[in-house]
Amino acid sequence: MPVRDSGVVVTGAGHGIGRALATRLAAEGARVVVNDLDAEAALRVAEAIGGFAAPGDAAGEPGVAALVETARGHLGSIDIWFGNAGIDRGRGLDAAEAEWAASHEVNVLAHVRAARLLIPAWIERGAGRFVVTASAAGLLTTLGNPAYAVSKHACVAFAEWLSATYRHRGVVVQAICPQGVRTRMLDNTGPLRDLLSRDGALTPEDVAEAAWQALHDDRFLVLPHPRVADYYRHRATDTDRWLDGMNTLQRQLEDQGGLR
């Protein structure tokens, strides 16, 4: 898909992967709308890349509607949507109801609300691209945080549904599913940091490069860590063995005093 002069929105673009995506797309000639809850960060990134800052909520229904309206007002039309904003809340079964609700709101419903507003116009013109930043946790799982694992699974599932439903109408849907990436989120994972980095913690720019390459072949799964494909196959073809392996990692973390 041609990117030069395309109208692109990147949510959660004030930091980390979102900032790297916005920077790379702008460097390739896209007209980028930079969204983030952190208004100062959004403005800073937009100024650095020659983009347009649209700070604010990209998850709640009013916030998504406002962002789409603002982006269309600036771009004319939205060609590519990068739903990158995400959160990692709560730990274990003690995670509060509010943490589960927030995870579902940001990691799942944000994409549903954006798709409702974007896809009808894309169907009408026969072209559009919807990219979500999910996680390897959405294909596999993650230890320690069920709200994150479950919501990222739902994120991937929704993206799969969109692709199965609309690809013949010209809508391309892709899911970026990295493991450890050197961001604030990885820094906050505590004892899980080494586990998430076992295949190498990538830079946000590495993830942006993988996403950029995937724009050229329309693959659904964008796997910056190629080993995730092997883990995904093992999980599907020998689920009990895979779960035994994950439980072994859980016990090792418990023995080290990291998880309970």
Side-chain angles (χ1 to χ4, degrees):
M1 180 177 183
V3 171
R4 182 165 296 278
D5 296 324
S6 292
V8 180
V9 176
V10 184
T11 70
H15 306 274
I17 293 172
R19 178 174 60 190
L21 288 168
T23 300
R24 180 59 192 270
L25 291 163
E28 298 295 340
R31 297 174 296 121
V32 181
V33 170
V34 178
N35 163 265
D36 202 282
L37 267 177
D38 184 338
E40 290 185 4
L43 290 165
R44 195 161 51 242
V45 172
E47 182 177 349
I49 68 173
F52 179 80
D57 174 36
E61 194 168 3
V64 175
L67 175 57
V68 169
E69 181 179 4
T70 298
R72 282 176 172 158
H74 176 71
L75 299 170
S77 65
I78 299 170
D79 302 304
I80 309 175
W81 181 274
F82 277 86
N84 171 76
I87 61 171
D88 177 11
R89 297 279 177 84
R91 289 293 180 270
L93 282 178
D94 292 333
E97 291 284 327
E99 291 169 325
W100 276 93
S103 298
H104 189 64
E105 184 84 358
V106 178
N107 296 344
V108 185
L109 287 178
H111 305 305
V112 175
R113 290 159 179 158
R116 285 176 181 154
L117 298 174
L118 296 167
I119 286 182
W122 290 346
I123 290 174
E124 186 174 343
R125 72 180 190 181
R129 185 177 299 259
F130 194 89
V131 186
V132 300
T133 301
S135 167
L139 300 176
L140 307 170
T141 191
T142 189
L143 300 174
N145 188 345
Y148 184 77
V150 171
S151 61
K152 287 299 187 178
H153 270 280
C155 171
V156 173
F158 179 64
E160 288 175 338
W161 183 88
L162 287 179
S163 182
T165 304
Y166 296 112
R167 60 170 48 202
H168 69 293
R169 308 291 290 274
V171 178
V172 177
V173 183
Q174 297 175 293
I176 307 171
C177 298
Q179 287 191 104
V181 182
R182 296 173 202 160
T183 64
R184 295 179 302 172
M185 188 176 289
L186 182 64
D187 291 339
N188 292 331
T189 56
L192 291 173
R193 181 185 174 93
D194 290 342
L195 174 61
L196 294 171
S197 304
R198 65 182 297 170
D199 293 313
L202 301 180
T203 67
E205 290 72 24
D206 292 329
V207 178
E209 174 63 24
W212 167 249
Q213 295 299 327
L215 291 179
H216 295 79
D217 61 18
D218 297 347
R219 76 190 83 157
F220 175 75
L221 286 180
V222 182
L223 304 178
H225 293 85
R227 285 294 302 277
V228 170
D230 295 328
Y231 300 148
Y232 193 37
R233 279 191 290 270
H234 293 325
R235 175 181 177 272
T237 57
D238 196 344
T239 303
D240 284 306
R241 182 179 179 185
W242 179 81
L243 286 170
D244 281 341
M246 292 300 294
N247 183 247
T248 297
L249 292 173
Q250 171 72 24
R251 286 182 281 128
Q252 289 173 354
L253 288 167
E254 290 180 9
D255 290 343
Q256 295 165 11
L259 289 181
R260 294 297 175 194

